Amino acid sequence: MRKSARYSTLAAAGLLALSSLTACANDAASTAATGSGKGTKVKIMVGGLDKVIYLPAMLTQRLGYFDAEGLNVELLTEPAGVQAETALVAGQVQGTVGFYDHTLDLQTKGKAVESVVQFSHAPGEVEVVSTKAAGDITSPKDFKGKKLGITSLGSSTDFLTKYLAVKNGVKVSDFSPVAVGAGATFISALQQGSIDGGMTTDPTVANILDKKAGKVLVDMRTPEGSQQALGGPYPSSSLYMQTDWVNGHKDTVQKLVNAFVKTLKWMSTHSAAEIAAKMPADYAQGDKALYTQSIKSTLPMFTDDGVMPENGPETVEKVLKAFNTNIQNADVDLSKTYTTEFVEAAK
């Protein structure tokens, strides 16, 4: 069924925060890929195009599925999901490929945003610890007093790190979150001791293990890992958009969802090596075998049909409520944070 949402007034403090983040988004955003130049123009911001968790965005472009739907999609990239979210709220882009949990957080701030196609049923995130700190951190119970890397404050890595801490008896005030991005900056922070551990995704995880810079503490790249760490399926990577825009451009949204569902189906019938071969060569950072392995490790997180996993929104709400006072004090309407209208039509 179609789930609609309404805007409410955004608090002045929220506006100031969004203005500040928007400035960062303007500075950091860069064009990553454009379509054929023909068809309906759509801009999509991705919270890190080279991250395997957001692989369907670039893969859809490379497979030609946007063009086949008559769309001219421009993919832009930001290092963190919260910055990609800000670009959407600021009206710089029509869609964001990022974590579904931002739709709940934004609803408490008066913004109506909804996921229109769900790429995953697990976070795809991994909590790693540095080789040096591995003896001191054997579980999230040991987070107290530690410096833990996240992509940025307010990001999904920030959310999930806080949940793992609280679930294991550690207050969010007992450890220090450190914004270190992903990729080379994350690895450097781990090697130099700027952080004791942190949450990141492939291909960063694969590179950390290859360099023996750290080890896996909590692996949430599979539905089983999500169940163990979070207590249920955790819909993460998705295409989410402002509800007003969705309602006013249903034909375009349907074409976008059609393209992404085709990609998810294609991924479910092809190997990691075949997927890697379709991606830009520089994503492999000179090591195609390692990049292929990072895709293989993360593939279990993806859905094959774009459908929101059953009980997924409830798991996300439970996780956020564990530490997020905005969510704790709000009556979140989960039905307004996603819609299945377009994936059902795509099937």
Side-chain angles (χ1 to χ4, degrees):
M1 291 183 65
R2 176 73 190 137
K3 299 173 179 65
S4 60
R6 298 178 180 176
Y7 281 96
S8 61
T9 304
L10 185 63
L15 283 170
L16 288 173
L18 287 171
S19 296
S20 174
L21 284 170
T22 300
C24 295
N26 287 332
D27 292 338
S30 60
T31 302
T34 56
S36 62
K38 300 176 182 179
T40 304
K41 182 69 179 285
V42 181
K43 288 185 179 182
I44 296 177
M45 186 67 79
V46 184
L49 259 173
D50 58 348
K51 296 177 183 177
V52 178
I53 58 171
Y54 299 140
L55 181 149
M58 179 59 76
L59 183 58
T60 303
Q61 188 84 282
R62 303 283 285 192
L63 291 171
Y65 291 161
F66 290 137
D67 287 344
E69 291 289 334
L71 299 172
N72 176 23
V73 174
E74 181 179 6
L75 296 174
L76 301 136
T77 186
E78 278 286 4
V82 66
Q83 293 165 342
E85 164 202 298
T86 300
L88 176 70
V89 174
Q92 297 172 322
V93 296
Q94 287 75 54
T96 292
V97 169
F99 267 40
Y100 161 73
D101 54 22
H102 289 291
T103 66
L104 279 71
D105 188 51
L106 283 169
Q107 188 181 116
T108 68
K109 299 171 182 174
K111 288 294 180 182
V113 174
E114 61 188 9
S115 166
V116 296
V117 55
Q118 196 62 47
F119 299 162
S120 58
H121 44 198
E125 300 280 355
V126 177
E127 183 72 25
V128 298
V129 293
S130 71
T131 301
K132 182 179 178 181
D136 296 326
I137 307 175
T138 59
S139 83
K141 293 179 181 179
D142 301 321
F143 282 176
K144 188 174 182 177
K146 300 299 188 292
K147 295 172 292 184
L148 302 177
I150 55 174
T151 51
S152 68
L153 296 175
S155 66
S156 295
T157 53
D158 188 15
F159 293 163
L160 288 170
T161 300
K162 287 176 178 175
Y163 176 74
L164 290 179
V166 171
K167 180 188 176 185
N168 287 276
V170 180
K171 297 177 182 178
V172 295
S173 58
D174 286 342
F175 68 92
S176 301
V178 183
V180 293
T185 56
F186 187 101
I187 296 171
S188 177
L190 201 65
Q191 292 174 320
Q192 294 175 10
S194 301
I195 56 175
D196 301 300
M199 190 169 292
T200 191
T201 61
D202 276 313
T204 305
V205 176
N207 278 283
I208 288 170
L209 298 179
D210 184 62
K211 296 175 185 294
K212 295 180 171 44
K215 60 180 289 187
V216 172
L217 184 69
V218 180
D219 193 338
M220 297 178 284
R221 289 175 291 188
T222 66
E224 294 78 16
S226 178
Q227 178 70 41
Q228 183 175 353
L230 307 174
Y234 197 92
S236 56
S237 305
S238 66
L239 172 66
Y240 63 82
M241 314 177 88
Q242 296 203 57
T243 300
D244 275 1
W245 199 90
V246 172
N247 290 338
H249 302 81
K250 288 194 173 186
D251 183 58
T252 299
V253 175
Q254 186 64 63
K255 290 176 180 179
L256 284 167
V257 174
N258 290 346
F260 279 125
V261 170
K262 287 179 188 175
T263 297
L264 292 169
K265 289 185 182 301
W266 188 92
M267 289 170 61
S268 71
T269 58
H270 289 74
S271 68
E274 290 171 318
I275 294 171
K278 290 290 184 180
M279 301 301 286
D282 61 340
Y283 282 21
Q285 299 176 23
D287 193 331
K288 193 169 184 178
L290 190 62
Y291 181 59
T292 299
Q293 179 57 47
S294 73
I295 293 176
K296 184 177 181 180
S297 298
T298 305
L299 272 179
M301 73 173 280
F302 294 106
T303 69
D304 61 4
D305 55 11
V307 174
M308 176 65 75
E310 187 176 358
N311 298 322
E314 289 79 8
T315 303
V316 172
E317 183 181 32
K318 179 198 71 174
V319 167
L320 295 182
K321 275 191 172 183
F323 63 86
N324 188 316
T325 54
N326 288 335
I327 301 288
Q328 289 169 354
N329 298 324
D331 184 16
V332 177
D333 187 341
L334 294 176
S335 71
K336 294 179 180 179
T337 61
Y338 71 100
T339 175
T340 59
E341 174 184 352
F342 301 102
V343 289
E344 287 171 359
K347 289 192 293 183

